[in-house]
């Protein structure tokens, strides 16, 4: 059957994205074919488009979507034609009207969650799940403890603010404007720091925590916040570097971790956590639960036609977006 997709023949700026007619076949063993109703936009899409992450070319973009199963391949037991589903998954290719993909990555949606909400929340929400629930300092996190979360007014950050509040954590947010700081607080952050007007945010973190620092920093900004993040940690604290929106972290001496308090460092990725059907189901169920209970509410800032995904990328890179974006096929 014929469908449409965003395809890139070379990596570069938003202008390399082309809306093309493509052929979509029948699902093979262990696969399903999905008709998309909504597609999510994430910063990883920018990295794959601009060359930060190398990709075989030509390539398709997009890591999350929601829609209806149209066909099921041999050996797929727990999904069927007509199911409302959503996913966050490798391989890339969600920027399309229809696609065939591995069934192990696909989750059946509860009736309480609509397609737009699902497309806006899967990759970002599952990212927050593996951060706050699985990527933890020694001994885990207890209610009442401080965490530092950068870019807290973005799609991932606003989910993290709400989920942290539901867990009883005291989240210190950073964002690039006073308005975005206020947005983070409105979504559950206890404190917010404008790291543009206060680039030495670590000093403010120390003030908030009575000089102790935080037990964990969740940092998707990268180069611009790296040093301040390390300086915000308490002894034996955990530095979680899970993105590089401002550029990749420069080379550093491992001995800095010793000098700053025997710190721990990890660079996780969601797809390691989603590598098995069992972990995907477990993580997805926890995300569906907090959304269905209203503990996490998705803020969809904008909707774009999928064919206009290049405009959405420009707005995302220019930081004109607060919260999540949905692309409509």
């Amino acid at each position: 059957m014929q469908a449409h997709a965003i395809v890139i023949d070379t990596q570069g700026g938003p202008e390399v994205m082309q809306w093309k007619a493509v052929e979509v076949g029948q699902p093979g063993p262990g696969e399903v074919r999905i008709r998309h109703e909504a597609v999510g936009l994430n910063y990883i899409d920018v990295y794959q488009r601009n060359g930060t992450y190398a990709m075989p070319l030509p390539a398709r973009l997009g890591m999350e979507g929601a829609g209806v199963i149209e066909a099921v391949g041999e050996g797929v037991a727990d999904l069927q034609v007509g199911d409302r589903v959503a996913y966050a998954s490798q391989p890339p290719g969600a920027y399309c009207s229809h696609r065939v993909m591995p069934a192990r990555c696909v989750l059946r949606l509860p009736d309480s969650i609509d397609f737009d909400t699902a497309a806006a929340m899967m990759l970002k929400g599952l990212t927050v799940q593996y951060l706050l629930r699985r990527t933890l300092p020694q001994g885990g996190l207890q209610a009442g403890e401080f965490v530092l979360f950068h870019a807290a007014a973005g799609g991932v950050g606003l989910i993290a603010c709400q989920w942290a509040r539901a867990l009883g954590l005291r989240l210190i947010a950073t964002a690039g404007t006073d308005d975005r700081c206020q947005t983070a607080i409105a979504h559950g952050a206890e404190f917010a720091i404008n790291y543009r007007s206060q680039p030495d945010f670590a000093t403010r973190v120390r003030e908030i925590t009575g000089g102790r620092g935080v037990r964990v920093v969740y940092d998707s900004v990268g180069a611009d916040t790296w040093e301040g993040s390390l300086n915000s940690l308490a002894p034996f604290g955990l530095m979680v570097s899970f993105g590089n929106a401002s550029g990749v972290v420069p080379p550093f001496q491992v001995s800095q971790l010793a000098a700053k308090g025997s710190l721990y460092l990890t660079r996780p990725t969601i797809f390691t956590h989603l590598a098995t059907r069992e972990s995907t189901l477990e993580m997805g169920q926890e995300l569906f639960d907090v959304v269905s209970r209203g503990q996490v509410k998705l803020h969809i800032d904008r909707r774009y036609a999928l064919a206009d995904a290049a405009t959405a990328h420009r707005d995302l890179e220019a930081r004109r977006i607060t919260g999540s974006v949905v692309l409509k096929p």
Side-chain angles (χ1 to χ4, degrees):
M1 63 171 289
Q2 191 172 77
H4 283 82
I6 294 287
V7 181
I8 63 171
D9 294 322
T10 185
Q11 292 179 295
E15 68 280 357
V16 303
M17 299 164 68
Q18 306 170 65
W19 181 242
K20 289 185 173 182
V22 296
E23 288 295 320
V24 178
Q26 293 296 316
E31 294 181 331
V32 295
R33 189 177 73 221
I34 298 173
R35 181 186 76 248
H36 282 141
E37 297 291 338
V39 173
L41 172 70
N42 296 280
Y43 226 97
I44 190 174
D45 308 345
V46 173
Y47 297 152
Q48 292 171 345
R49 187 212 74 222
N50 68 17
T52 300
Y53 296 162
M55 295 180 69
L57 297 169
R60 299 185 189 181
L61 303 176
M63 305 302 299
E64 68 179 341
V68 177
I69 292 182
E70 288 192 330
V72 174
E74 182 182 352
V76 177
D78 58 347
L79 296 169
Q80 58 188 4
V81 173
D83 280 349
R84 300 171 64 256
V85 295
Y87 64 87
S89 172
Q90 296 276 27
Y95 286 14
C96 62
S97 59
H98 302 71
R99 75 178 298 193
V100 171
M101 63 180 300
R104 67 171 178 79
C105 311
V106 178
L107 297 174
R108 188 182 292 108
L109 278 176
D111 292 340
S112 58
I113 298 177
D114 61 63
F115 289 124
D116 282 14
T117 298
M121 80 180 194
M122 290 302 293
L123 192 140
K124 290 174 278 291
L126 292 171
T127 294
V128 175
Q129 196 280 343
Y130 89 73
L131 293 174
L132 294 183
R133 302 291 287 156
R134 292 168 170 245
T135 312
L136 303 171
Q138 281 188 317
L141 288 170
Q142 310 304 319
E145 292 190 301
F146 287 102
V147 302
L148 176 62
F149 207 102
H150 290 298
V156 171
L158 292 183
I159 295 173
C161 289
Q162 297 173 78
W163 205 327
R165 178 173 58 186
L167 293 170
L169 301 174
R170 305 179 70 183
L171 188 142
I172 304 170
T174 73
T177 68
D178 290 342
D179 286 347
R180 292 171 76 86
C181 285
Q182 289 305 309
T183 298
I185 288 175
H187 283 76
E190 186 171 344
F191 300 91
I193 305 168
N194 182 337
Y195 58 73
R196 296 194 186 280
S197 62
Q198 191 172 354
D200 183 19
F201 58 84
T203 296
R204 177 61 181 144
V205 170
R206 295 282 175 180
E207 291 172 354
I208 292 168
T209 59
R212 294 184 299 275
V214 297
R215 296 193 59 222
V216 59
V217 176
Y218 297 108
D219 190 340
S220 64
V221 175
D224 288 354
T225 51
W226 171 255
E227 191 67 25
S229 291
L230 294 180
N231 292 337
S232 298
L233 283 164
F236 307 108
L238 174 63
M239 173 65 187
V240 183
S241 176
F242 71 101
N244 30 257
S246 69
V248 297
V249 174
F252 74 101
Q253 294 294 322
V254 175
S255 58
Q256 289 184 42
L257 301 177
K260 293 181 183 295
S262 299
L263 304 179
Y264 292 81
L265 167 66
T266 185
R267 185 26 171 119
T269 173
I270 186 174
F271 300 112
T272 309
H273 289 276
L274 295 174
T276 68
R277 181 65 174 168
E278 292 74 20
S279 62
T280 300
L281 287 168
E282 179 183 329
M283 292 170 66
Q285 188 58 58
E286 189 165 344
L287 173 61
F288 294 159
D289 285 348
V290 295
V291 172
S292 295
R293 290 197 299 264
Q295 292 174 309
V296 170
K297 297 179 180 178
L298 273 292
H299 172 67
I300 299 176
D301 187 49
R302 304 186 189 190
R303 290 173 173 83
Y304 300 77
L306 182 54
D308 296 330
T311 301
H313 273 228
R314 292 186 182 96
D315 289 343
L316 180 64
E317 291 181 276
R319 301 194 178 186
R320 290 191 284 264
I321 293 169
T322 299
S324 299
V325 167
V326 171
L327 307 174
K328 301 293 286 184

